Amino acid sequence: MPESLLTLLKLLLLALLYLFFARVLYAVWSEVARSTTGPAQGGGSGAAVAAAAPAESGRKWKRHRTPDRLVVVAPPEQSGRLYMLGAEQTVGRSPGCQVALDDTYASQVHARIFQGGEGWFVEDLGSTNGTFLNDQKVTSPAPLTLGDRLKIGGTELEVSG
């Protein structure tokens, strides 16, 4: 092989190596930044919301409210985390997800929660371990109502209003 071609291949390999290290550093930086700021939304008020949810269950007007947040109920060390529902959000391990879970059994982009014409829906996005709504496996978009339990990996979330 000509010497110039070998030099070009060496430079290309070196550039790819630098790109790989830059990607690793970015991933580490984003994980550290996410862990120091806490949950993406809700901050420390999640425990108060989770504690208040059972007291609201007996109110008659509850059925007229629409879901507007997810509260982590399991595992216990993450219990009380609060995620507000937007028009559409993804759920998974990836820091790019609006509901980013610290759960090794969740896929990077595990599920999607979205608002349709008749309310809120959850859809599994081809996850490895599946998405469960009230202990039933989600195989197509399923409607969400107040009090529903959503299990993604080892994390259980309650739909709250």
Side-chain angles (χ1 to χ4, degrees):
M1 270 197 216
E3 187 69 28
S4 60
L5 182 61
L6 288 175
T7 304
L8 183 64
L9 288 174
K10 286 180 194 177
L11 290 174
L12 182 63
L13 181 63
L14 188 61
L16 288 174
L17 189 62
Y18 277 119
L19 285 174
F20 172 75
F21 282 127
R23 176 65 178 116
V24 168
L25 286 174
Y26 174 75
V28 169
W29 177 79
S30 64
E31 284 293 318
V32 168
R34 185 174 60 112
S35 67
T36 59
T37 60
Q41 298 174 2
S45 64
V49 171
E56 295 176 9
S57 63
R59 295 183 184 167
K60 290 182 181 179
W61 54 269
K62 181 179 177 184
R63 72 178 93 117
H64 299 293
R65 294 184 349 200
T66 58
D68 65 358
R69 61 185 154 238
L70 296 172
V71 180
V72 177
V73 294
E77 62 271 8
Q78 294 181 25
S79 183
R81 276 194 181 175
L82 173 70
Y83 299 98
M84 300 303 290
L85 293 176
E88 178 177 337
Q89 54 272 327
T90 53
V91 183
R93 276 194 345 249
S94 172
C97 290
Q98 290 80 18
V99 180
L101 303 175
D102 186 19
D103 185 342
T104 56
Y105 293 105
S107 297
Q108 288 290 324
V109 181
H110 195 102
R112 174 174 82 116
I113 298 173
F114 61 97
Q115 192 170 19
E118 299 175 12
W120 289 93
F121 295 87
V122 62
E123 174 183 32
D124 185 79
L125 297 177
S127 64
T128 304
N129 295 324
T131 302
F132 294 85
L133 178 62
N134 298 323
D135 295 324
Q136 299 293 317
K137 188 168 184 169
V138 175
T139 56
S140 62
L144 289 174
T145 57
L146 289 174
D148 280 349
R149 294 284 178 112
L150 188 60
K151 187 168 169 101
I152 294 177
T155 305
E156 192 167 341
L157 303 139
E158 183 174 325
V159 179
S160 181

